[in-house]
Amino acid sequence: MTPAITLWLAFVLAAGAICWFGTKRQAVAFLAVAVITAPATLLPLGHAYPFSPPKGHYTVLGARIDVDEAIWVLLDSGSAPPLYYRLPYKASTANDLQSALDVAEGNGGMVGMQQGEEGSPGFAEEGAPGSEQPKRAEPQAIIGG
């Protein structure tokens, strides 16, 4: 159980005991407060979000792959503070992330993540910040005379 759920459950049990020995009015007030505070149990409070991030592009600030368990990533959207996510483990996703991390480490770049609507994240190396990406050589023009 997460700390948020444990705290909420402790509150509900304590207030329920008070209401059991109290009046009907207290019991109704307790029920209203318990229902209103129930969504607070979804707050991570320092733990990873258990669901996938919203659709968009993110910069991976850190990652940990636990084989057959989960992929833990700290993602920065650029517009909000970085958030910590627990992604479901898939061998293909883990391999993509590990490859991107290896390439980024070798080039001094960063890893980006694209979250699509289908729910499967895509990882790729983005290059070093402030550096220019290598350009492909253009083919020579053939000028006939």
Side-chain angles (χ1 to χ4, degrees), residues 14-88:
I18 293 169
C19 292
W20 181 263
F21 299 107
T23 65
K24 190 175 253 188
R25 186 178 193 182
Q26 287 175 328
V28 170
F30 160 70
L31 180 62
V33 170
V35 169
I36 290 170
T37 59
T41 62
L42 298 175
L43 296 175
L45 297 177
H47 296 278
Y49 282 95
F51 45 85
S52 295
K55 177 184 160 187
H57 181 268
Y58 301 92
T59 300
V60 177
L61 301 178
R64 176 177 148 180
I65 301 170
D66 290 340
V67 178
D68 295 330
E69 185 181 328
I71 299 172
W72 308 88
V73 290
L74 180 61
L75 301 176
D76 185 12
S77 66
S79 61
L83 297 174
Y84 186 44
Y85 288 94
R86 179 185 190 271
L87 303 175

Side-chain angles (χ1 to χ4, degrees), residues 94-104 125:
N95 290 337
D96 290 345
L97 174 58
Q98 189 61 56
S99 297
L101 288 169
D102 292 343
V103 170
E125 192 264 337

